[in-house]
Amino acid sequence: MRSSTILGLATTAVITLGLTTASMAAETIKVGVLHSLSGTMAISETTLKDTVLMLVEEQNKKGGLLGKKLEAVVVDPASDWPLFAEKARELLEVHKVDVVFGNWTSVSRKSVLPVFEELNGLLFYPVQYEGEESSKNVFYTGAAPNQQAIPAVDYLMEEGVKRWVLAGTDYVYPRTTNKILESYLKTKGVAATDIMINYTPFGHSDWQTIVSDIKAFGAAGKKTAVVSTINGDANVPFYKELGNQGLKAQDIPVIAFSVGEEELSGMDTTALVGHLAAWNYFMSAEAEVNAAFIKIWHAFIKDDKRVTNDPMEAHYIGFNMWVKAVEKAGTTDVDSVRSAIYGVTYPNLTGGTAVMNTNHHLTKPVLIGEIQADGQFETVWQTTGGVIGDAWTDFLPESARLVADWTAPINCGNFNIDSGKCSGQNY
Amino acid sequence: MRLRFRLSMLVVLFAVALSVWVPQAQASALEGAVTALDARSFAAKSKAVDALEALGEPDALPALRAMLEGMLFREKASKRVVIAEKIGGEYKISDALSGAELGQVKKAKLKKVSVNNRLRGRLQLAIGSLALNARDAETRTKSARSLTKQGNISMLPALDKAIAAETEPSVESTMRIARHAIQTKAGNQADRLAAITALDGVLDQDVMFILGTLSQKANEADPVVRALAAATLASTESSGRFYGAAETLFFGISLGSVLLLAAVGLAITFGVMGVINMAHGEMIMLGAYTTYVIQQWLPNAIEVSLAIAIPAAFLVSGAVGMAIERGVIRLLYGRPLETLLATFGISLILQQAVRVIFSPLNRSVITPDWMSGALEVNAALSFTYNRLTIVIFTIVLLAGIAALLRYTAFGLQMRAVTQNRQMASVMGIRTNWIDALTFGFGSGIAGIAGVALSQLTNVGPNLGQQYIVDSFMVVVFGGVGNIWGTVLGAMTLGVANKLLEPWAGAVLGKIFILIFIILFIQKRPSGMFAIKGRAAEN
């Protein structure tokens, strides 16, 4: 009895081993997914994990890539920044993935950068960010400041806004964005006394004083607007307080860079109607590709109430561009794919065409939408064509002279056009 | 006076006669203007609103209001402009002018007449001027308010007429402010100066905005007007300073109430029992999720669902608390470090469990209408209803806890065990059970706090973490083992935080408070009020 059990176990083991080698032999192309599924960032990143899984499934339905099936490898960095680096290393060294889609916060991206550069991996980063970076191994499919913050301010200026509140959560993205905006506003002739900058801790929930200050700031006789880089959870109490203290969108509009459809689905939107957001994509965009994308998403997630958002579109564009580049290069080798992807175009979901530039940023349209009672946006303004993502902003003296171009002859992420040199730093 | 009244009567009579005289022309003009609301560009829509306002016909009010609220649609087939109300999956449509019902249609048959913020402002103004003649006083007040904000000189005759006809003194004074506000912007210098002087001391956000505008060189050419406007604004602001201070105090008290709500359960479990419960924040979170679940069951009765949620959250969090006490903490009494680690582990388990069950996304809990908005005393002082509700709720809850501790057998036994465990045990009190009940009670209170917090902030897996540090801070500062110490601690911290925030900023303010508490604890390790108890004995 015992020997037969052992025999049985051994057979099972051999069969399992055989199966594993068989599937190894069939060779899949591995797609790494590096998004937090637990911890504070799970709220935003879980959806992106599902998006990549859906894109992989769709690609496999079309017959895979280079005659091979795609296989997603999902790891959970648990909203823990050092763990992001470890998991990135695991994906590249242990699982030997060909490409990674991942990260949300800037600090997590900074944490994985050295790993991707050391092991020559390939990362697609889908979230709007503060710019000031261009790594050889990262493609930035989210918006750079000139694709979100600057057009948003331009729009409000057209609407007659003369006085500005720059409110943000206290970390790198709002601080850098506000630095850029402050300098931009000053070049447009806004006096320093007409700019109020305010930072709050993560998850700030008591907005009474700040909203009352904004109210007083807005009563000075000039049209006032709030540019909000307030992150995630702090937004609900912020908008509630605005509504309760009687600040309406018509009087003091708030334009947000971190509030999208997904965030709105967890809020009671009554206090938010009329406030604005700037993105490169809205779920309400009227385009056939968008309708098809939403349909596939609902079928995949098996819930037709789930919304789509801007970072999902960024992954959609990034993934499909990578597929096109791999087909063009005929291999998944990182360097070949990297040189093949420059200039690759793909239809974006709002109706235009996105282009991958040699500075690793996309050309995308910019949309400004007003929040509606159903948690969707109504587009009130959009750029006529695409805007080229600028890695180094023109509005900070230290980065105005820097360009990123990963093709010959420059071949670097931070080329100084005055000195004609790269700083030597890789990103 | 009587003569003027007669005259205005005559005018009204004449207007009525006129409207009877040319009803046909007027009606078709109205119809045309309403149809024009559905223009392509926002500029053309704005022109259509101008036209409707010029007609001065209150019949256009429903259409304008519907447009403002996003309920105005075009029926694609007939190209008619209709008001649509969502009922289930379909829309009930009615004629934009007559209000005649036109049946129910699918969403696909309608196209929304879109508006933007600028148009919203324009619409409010048009509604305001049309509504000056409305029957109910509230609408008239509202319309006067909107005229204060953005009325122009062409509306003065209509406003004067309305002031003359007004019977309600409070509405009349609002209308007069609107009249002065409009007069400051145009007319001859003497009129304008008189109007500015009349606005001295009027603590109104919009009036102050107008005075601010007038005091700037870019907007106002006349230096005399500019100087007077600046002086008037300064004097108004200084008279508002007292109210500003009162408002800061209210902010402090309301923040203190939130802190107190979060901490009072901890004051019982940590303060009275001496158990460091890192999962306390998750008890609050469970309470908030209970509110969400009950609201899902009763989507149409928000108030009722909240009323049910209070005892339900108490029971859910209390039951989980007792399970934690019986299952884990009981085995670890006297080993504070292990308790800390074990309860921290439990808090992570509870968070992830919520992520798995409810998804990691925040859940939206609806706030009853009466809790939004503010009780506005004047521009410098207003009490937001949700904060007022929380303050009152905290007082009631605290009174309940005090009564329970003072007057019930459970309260007596709890106090006895706290003061002297051996003696209580000798007197026949089952100290084991009292421990479990006390822990359950403290957790249940945290659950109730969750119901209240669900009205202020996000209901998500991270809700508890936001309050755990603050809660410990309050309890330690107030004095371990003393609920009244906790009350005073919470209020002190709340008010101090709000006093610091305006000049130090939210981030630095919080740091100052933390440093202050560290120094304070160095000086008085047992907090503001220390009593003898089990915690004190150790």
Side-chain angles (χ1 to χ4, degrees):
Chain A
M1 188 60 193
R2 181 172 286 176
S3 66
S4 75
T5 320
I6 289 170
L7 199 72
L9 269 177
T11 331
T12 325
V14 169
I15 291 172
T16 326
L17 212 67
L19 278 177
T20 325
T21 33
S23 65
M24 294 273 264
E27 254 197 82
T28 53
I29 294 177
K30 288 191 179 176
V31 176
V33 184
L34 186 63
H35 282 302
S36 303
L37 310 178
S38 53
T40 48
M41 289 314 296
I43 179 174
S44 308
E45 293 193 63
T46 313
T47 312
L48 292 184
K49 180 243 347 176
D50 290 330
T51 310
V52 180
L53 293 185
M54 174 186 82
L55 291 166
V56 166
E57 191 186 289
E58 286 301 305
Q59 190 61 33
N60 280 336
K61 275 188 200 158
K62 286 185 222 158
L65 187 56
L66 302 180
K68 299 173 194 165
K69 288 275 172 207
L70 293 178
E71 181 194 347
V73 181
V74 180
V75 291
D76 177 15
S79 312
D80 177 355
W81 320 136
L83 193 59
F84 264 92
E86 285 172 38
K87 289 288 173 186
R89 191 171 284 281
E90 181 189 323
L91 281 175
L92 293 172
E93 280 187 339
V94 180
H95 298 290
K96 305 218 177 301
V97 297
D98 296 296
V99 61
V100 177
F101 291 87
N103 295 71
W104 183 290
T105 57
S106 285
V107 49
S108 74
R109 190 189 66 253
K110 294 278 186 204
S111 148
V112 301
L113 264 180
V115 179
F116 276 92
E117 300 198 333
E118 180 198 329
L119 302 173
N120 196 22
L122 191 58
L123 172 69
F124 282 82
Y125 175 68
V127 183
Q128 86 283 6
Y129 83 120
E130 66 280 3
E132 307 299 284
E133 184 182 302
S134 175
S135 164
K136 189 179 179 183
N137 298 84
V138 183
F139 286 96
Y140 307 82
T141 51
N146 73 320
Q147 289 174 306
Q148 191 182 26
I150 302 278
V153 166
D154 284 340
Y155 169 76
L156 288 174
M157 276 185 180
E158 264 174 43
E159 291 284 298
V161 172
K162 295 268 181 336
R163 218 164 145 84
W164 304 83
V165 180
L166 308 180
T169 304
D170 200 4
Y171 73 109
V172 56
Y173 167 65
R175 285 229 176 230
T176 315
T177 308
N178 286 345
K179 211 162 101 188
I180 295 170
L181 285 181
E182 190 188 1
S183 145
Y184 178 69
L185 287 172
K186 283 183 179 159
T187 62
K188 291 276 170 182
V190 177
T193 47
D194 283 335
I195 304 175
M196 165 177 156
I197 301 183
N198 183 289
Y199 292 104
T200 41
F202 270 100
H204 191 66
S205 61
D206 194 283
W207 290 94
Q208 301 178 90
T209 309
I210 291 162
V211 169
S212 150
D213 285 352
I214 292 174
K215 202 167 155 183
F217 189 76
K222 288 180 186 171
K223 174 91 176 155
T224 306
V226 180
V227 178
S228 152
T229 35
I230 296 164
N231 189 278
D233 276 4
N235 277 303
V236 174
F238 174 60
Y239 284 106
K240 271 194 178 165
E241 192 67 39
L242 281 178
N244 286 339
Q245 292 203 18
L247 287 187
K248 300 226 171 53
Q250 296 100 283
D251 308 333
I252 299 185
V254 178
I255 191 156
F257 304 150
S258 303
V259 176
E261 289 86 349
E262 184 115 311
E263 286 73 21
L264 289 177
S265 72
M267 296 184 193
D268 179 3
T269 47
T270 37
L272 282 82
V273 174
H275 287 299
L276 305 154
W279 289 105
N280 305 117
Y281 166 82
F282 288 124
M283 187 183 181
S284 62
E286 285 179 11
E288 273 171 37
V289 270
N290 187 32
F293 177 76
I294 293 170
K295 209 172 149 196
I296 295 171
W297 169 244
H298 284 165
F300 177 83
I301 207 80
K302 295 185 186 67
D303 178 359
D304 61 6
K305 290 209 167 54
R306 284 294 292 272
V307 293
T308 57
N309 64 9
D310 180 274
M312 284 175 70
E313 192 220 19
H315 259 344
Y316 166 84
I317 297 173
F319 183 88
N320 284 301
M321 281 188 167
W322 173 76
V323 166
K324 269 180 115 172
V326 169
E327 279 167 351
K328 198 164 134 194
T331 165
T332 56
D333 174 63
V334 169
D335 288 324
S336 317
V337 172
R338 198 164 56 78
S339 28
I341 205 168
Y342 300 131
V344 163
T345 59
Y346 200 81
N348 57 40
L349 293 175
T350 49
T353 306
V355 187
M356 178 57 82
N357 301 303
T358 53
N359 66 357
H360 287 207
H361 289 69
L362 289 175
T363 301
K364 298 207 279 190
V366 184
L367 283 71
I368 289 174
E370 272 185 25
I371 299 172
Q372 306 290 304
D374 59 358
Q376 290 290 333
F377 290 91
E378 178 143 334
T379 309
V380 289
W381 182 87
Q382 81 182 84
T383 50
T384 39
V387 177
I388 299 171
D390 189 10
W392 300 96
T393 181
D394 300 337
F395 302 104
L396 290 181
E398 61 270 29
S399 39
R401 311 303 293 163
L402 293 178
V403 290
D405 187 344
W406 285 102
T407 52
I410 292 179
N411 224 345
C412 123
N414 48 16
F415 182 80
N416 190 315
I417 42 178
D418 291 334
S419 67
K421 283 192 191 117
C422 294
S423 72
Q425 185 191 16
N426 283 332
Y427 44 87
Chain B
M1 194 65 199
R2 177 171 286 176
L3 184 74
R4 190 187 287 172
F5 182 71
R6 285 252 173 88
L7 259 174
S8 66
M9 272 295 280
L10 263 178
V11 170
V12 171
L13 273 176
F14 181 68
V16 168
L18 207 69
S19 68
V20 173
W21 210 216
V22 282
Q24 218 57 38
Q26 185 83 345
S28 69
L30 198 58
E31 220 162 81
V34 167
T35 315
L37 286 177
D38 179 34
R40 214 144 230 260
S41 71
F42 287 125
K45 283 177 193 175
S46 186
K47 280 221 177 88
V49 177
D50 292 344
L52 276 177
E53 194 184 12
L55 286 173
E57 195 57 54
D59 283 352
L61 274 176
L64 292 176
R65 285 216 181 91
M67 188 164 171
L68 186 64
E69 280 154 27
M71 285 163 66
L72 199 67
F73 288 81
R74 176 181 68 218
E75 200 184 8
K76 283 177 186 165
S78 64
K79 294 204 170 153
R80 192 162 40 175
V81 175
V82 294
I83 296 172
E85 197 182 345
K86 195 170 184 182
I87 292 176
E90 291 201 324
Y91 283 81
K92 192 175 90 174
I93 58 171
S94 54
D95 190 275
L97 274 179
S98 65
E101 293 202 4
L102 301 166
Q104 290 200 7
V105 292
K106 289 233 169 61
K107 169 98 212 299
K109 303 234 179 221
L110 299 171
K111 174 88 180 93
K112 190 164 159 185
V113 178
S114 61
V115 285
N116 65 0
N117 278 332
R118 191 184 282 180
L119 199 55
R120 277 200 192 96
R122 183 71 197 83
L123 279 167
Q124 272 180 345
L125 183 61
I127 291 170
S129 75
L130 286 181
L132 268 181
N133 313 320
R135 271 190 204 92
D136 65 312
E138 203 184 326
T139 316
R140 291 200 302 271
T141 310
K142 265 195 196 155
S143 97
R145 285 251 163 82
S146 81
L147 286 181
T148 308
K149 188 185 281 182
Q150 43 185 193
N152 60 43
I153 198 90
S154 69
M155 287 152 193
L156 275 188
L159 195 53
D160 282 337
K161 211 157 70 184
I163 291 173
E166 188 55 59
T167 48
E168 200 84 27
S170 68
V171 184
E172 192 185 329
S173 84
T174 316
M175 285 178 174
R176 281 195 193 282
I177 289 173
R179 196 197 183 290
H180 295 314
I182 293 172
Q183 186 71 71
T184 57
K185 294 181 204 159
N188 64 44
Q189 196 193 40
D191 280 352
R192 298 181 66 195
L193 293 179
I196 293 173
T197 316
L199 289 176
D200 191 2
V202 175
L203 281 168
D204 182 284
Q205 197 71 24
D206 302 321
V207 170
M208 285 161 81
F209 185 91
I210 291 168
L211 292 177
T213 316
L214 289 178
S215 60
Q216 287 161 24
K217 208 169 184 179
N219 304 316
E220 181 54 50
D222 188 339
V224 184
V225 171
R226 221 160 48 217
L228 187 66
T232 312
L233 183 61
S235 106
T236 308
E237 268 171 359
S238 75
S239 71
R241 209 152 288 155
F242 164 75
Y243 294 103
E247 194 177 57
T248 307
L249 189 68
F250 172 70
F251 288 167
I253 289 173
S254 88
L255 176 63
S257 306
V258 172
L259 290 176
L260 183 56
L261 265 179
V264 70
L266 197 75
I268 294 167
T269 55
F270 176 59
V272 178
M273 293 178 70
V275 173
I276 299 177
N277 178 20
M278 293 300 282
H280 174 74
E282 278 58 46
M283 299 297 133
I284 298 177
M285 176 193 75
L286 285 180
Y289 270 97
T290 310
T291 317
Y292 166 73
V293 170
I294 290 176
Q295 250 185 26
Q296 292 308 105
W297 285 341
L298 298 164
N300 296 322
I302 301 301
E303 280 90 352
V304 177
S305 74
L306 280 181
I308 299 174
I310 293 171
F314 180 81
L315 292 178
V316 169
S317 294
V320 173
M322 277 176 80
I324 293 174
E325 203 275 344
R326 287 287 89 182
V328 180
I329 294 173
R330 179 172 60 107
L331 311 170
L332 298 172
Y333 277 125
R335 289 149 69 188
L337 275 181
E338 280 93 328
T339 318
L340 190 148
L341 282 179
T343 50
F344 182 61
I346 292 170
S347 85
L348 292 183
I349 292 171
L350 286 173
Q351 278 175 38
Q352 200 60 21
V354 164
R355 282 201 188 94
V356 172
I357 299 169
F358 293 99
S359 101
L361 298 178
N362 286 338
R363 301 286 101 179
S364 100
V365 171
I366 295 163
T367 310
D369 286 339
W370 53 266
M371 262 174 84
S372 55
L375 178 72
E376 205 157 302
V377 180
N378 55 44
L381 178 63
S382 58
F383 303 106
T384 46
Y385 287 126
N386 63 346
R387 299 278 171 176
L388 267 182
T389 316
I390 297 286
V391 173
I392 293 166
F393 184 77
T394 311
I395 293 170
V396 171
L397 184 69
L398 217 59
I401 294 171
L404 189 122
L405 291 182
R406 180 82 182 76
Y407 297 112
T408 66
F410 167 64
L412 184 69
Q413 292 175 352
M414 199 180 113
R415 283 181 290 143
V417 174
T418 310
Q419 277 162 19
N420 193 326
R421 174 172 290 261
Q422 270 93 22
M423 192 56 84
S425 179
V426 168
M427 302 297 282
I429 296 172
R430 295 174 65 188
T431 55
N432 259 338
W433 271 110
I434 293 299
D435 284 342
L437 284 177
T438 309
F439 199 84
F441 179 62
S443 303
I445 297 292
I448 294 182
V451 179
L453 290 181
S454 75
Q455 299 300 312
L456 289 184
T457 180
N458 299 281
V459 178
N462 307 326
L463 171 64
Q465 283 181 329
Q466 286 177 19
Y467 289 98
I468 186 76
V469 175
D470 286 344
S471 305
F472 271 107
M473 223 159 68
V474 165
V475 174
V476 170
F477 177 65
V480 173
N482 188 329
I483 289 191
W484 297 115
T486 308
V487 174
L488 216 71
M491 290 305 160
T492 314
L493 291 185
V495 173
N497 209 331
K498 285 294 151 190
L499 288 177
L500 281 176
E501 210 181 297
W503 63 269
V507 182
L508 261 184
K510 220 164 181 176
I511 293 172
F512 283 145
I513 293 281
L514 274 171
I515 292 174
F516 165 71
I517 288 183
I518 292 170
L519 294 177
F520 186 82
I521 298 293
Q522 297 293 318
K523 206 83 190 130
R524 295 193 61 160
S526 45
M528 284 200 293
F529 299 89
I531 58 154
K532 285 195 166 37
R534 206 192 322 158
E537 279 164 24
N538 294 339

